[in-house]
Amino acid sequence: MKFSKALPKSNICGASVSAPGAVVVRVIHPEDAKDLNLPGRKSLEIVSAKTGSDAMTLRLVEIPVVKPGESPRPLHRHSGFEECMYVLSGQGNSQSESGDCPVVAGDTILVPPGELHVTRNTGDTPLVLLCFFPTADCSEQK
């Protein structure tokens, strides 16, 4: 991974790197994650093009307990790339064009490119997911 911009020293592991564009290990601290302010969930983008990645996006997503009368989030799709979600805690339902599947902590959901899908909380505690995308820019979501 090559970084085109200067990184704070606290985020670079190991010895100081002086060459521009040098490949380095980077630690992204929780306070550096970007809150995407997406409807119906808290989504923190930890890794993406904005943090120097050229090939992946990593998000920590928390889907709250559904409140009475609350409208469910609509299905969405990611054009041109898969989404892989690992369930860290809670329980929910993965809904897609392929069908509905219950999910619990330890399960992994793999959604093919372009498939309409949504993951809903069906429990009484937040549903927490670690979401991986094999692209550094997820902005083409539809």
Side-chain angles (χ1 to χ4, degrees):
M1 180 181 314
K2 294 187 178 186
F3 298 102
S4 57
K5 61 182 179 179
L7 301 176
K9 287 190 183 231
S10 63
N11 290 346
I12 299 174
C13 291
S16 177
V17 178
S18 58
V23 177
V24 296
V25 172
R26 180 167 182 201
V27 174
I28 294 102
H29 302 287
E31 62 270 15
D32 295 329
K34 179 182 178 191
D35 187 346
L36 299 177
N37 296 310
L38 297 177
R41 67 224 187 258
K42 181 172 181 123
S43 184
L44 298 176
E45 194 162 84
I46 301 165
V47 173
S48 69
K50 293 174 183 138
T51 59
S53 175
D54 58 1
M56 73 167 295
T57 296
L58 173 65
R59 293 178 180 169
L60 180 62
V61 176
E62 183 177 302
I63 302 170
V65 174
V66 178
K67 296 175 184 164
E70 189 173 49
S71 296
R73 280 190 311 119
L75 280 73
H76 64 279
R77 73 177 80 225
H78 308 282
S79 300
F81 54 88
E82 297 173 312
E83 179 177 6
C84 183
M85 295 168 268
Y86 179 78
V87 182
L88 291 169
S89 62
Q91 63 185 40
N93 192 337
S94 175
Q95 298 176 343
S96 70
E97 294 172 306
S98 300
D100 295 357
C101 296
V103 296
V104 296
D107 288 345
T108 301
I109 306 159
L110 181 60
V111 181
E115 182 158 353
L116 284 168
H117 67 282
V118 68
T119 304
R120 302 192 193 285
N121 188 341
T122 59
D124 56 7
T125 61
L127 176 61
V128 182
L129 310 168
L130 200 52
C131 302
F132 300 86
F133 304 88
T135 179
D137 182 4
C138 291
S139 63
E140 57 190 80
Q141 176 176 311
K142 296 181 180 171

